[in-house]
């Protein structure tokens, strides 16, 4: 779930860079591509809004499931 820019700096670049997502901000287009229909102006990936629920797609060879829990600490398995 997207949180406020003011408090958390949530944007696709920062979300992709977080350890529980990809740990690599340059992978933000993967999140954008699968969530385009959820973004108010799908031609502008900067327009995500607090409260939006985004899908974080799996990378090849990776399995993801469940919902993100802000009270948990996530680590990346290799």
């Amino acid at each position: 779930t997207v949180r406020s820019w003011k408090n958390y700096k949530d944007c696709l670049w920062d979300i992709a860079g977080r350890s529980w997502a990809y740990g690599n901000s340059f992978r933000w287009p993967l999140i954008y591509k699968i969530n385009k229909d959820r973004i108010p102006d799908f031609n502008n990936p900067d327009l995500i809004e607090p409260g939006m629920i985004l899908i974080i797609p799996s990378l090849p060879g990776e399995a993801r499931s469940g919902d993100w829990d802000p009270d948990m600490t996530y680590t990346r398995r290799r």
Side-chain angles (χ1 to χ4, degrees), residues 10-35:
D10 273 359
C11 65
L12 297 181
W13 173 269
D14 283 347
I15 292 169
R18 294 196 176 112
S19 62
W20 49 263
Y22 300 123
N24 181 342
S25 296
F26 287 100
R27 290 194 166 141
W28 72 265
L30 299 173
I31 300 171
Y32 171 63
K33 183 177 179 181
I34 201 161
N35 289 286

Side-chain angles (χ1 to χ4, degrees), residues 18-23 27 56-59 62-66 76:
R18 294 196 176 112
S19 62
W20 49 263
Y22 300 123
R27 290 194 166 141
I56 309 295
S58 299
L59 296 173
E62 178 183 68
R64 293 178 183 261
S65 64
R76 226 172 154 208

Side-chain angles (χ1 to χ4, degrees), residues 40-74:
D41 178 356
F42 65 87
N43 290 314
N44 187 347
D46 290 330
L47 294 181
I48 62 172
E49 298 174 346
M52 292 176 65
I53 297 173
L54 299 176
I55 295 169
I56 309 295
S58 299
L59 296 173
E62 178 183 68
R64 293 178 183 261
S65 64
D67 295 330
W68 177 73
D69 181 345
D71 297 321
M72 285 187 61
T73 300
Y74 294 89

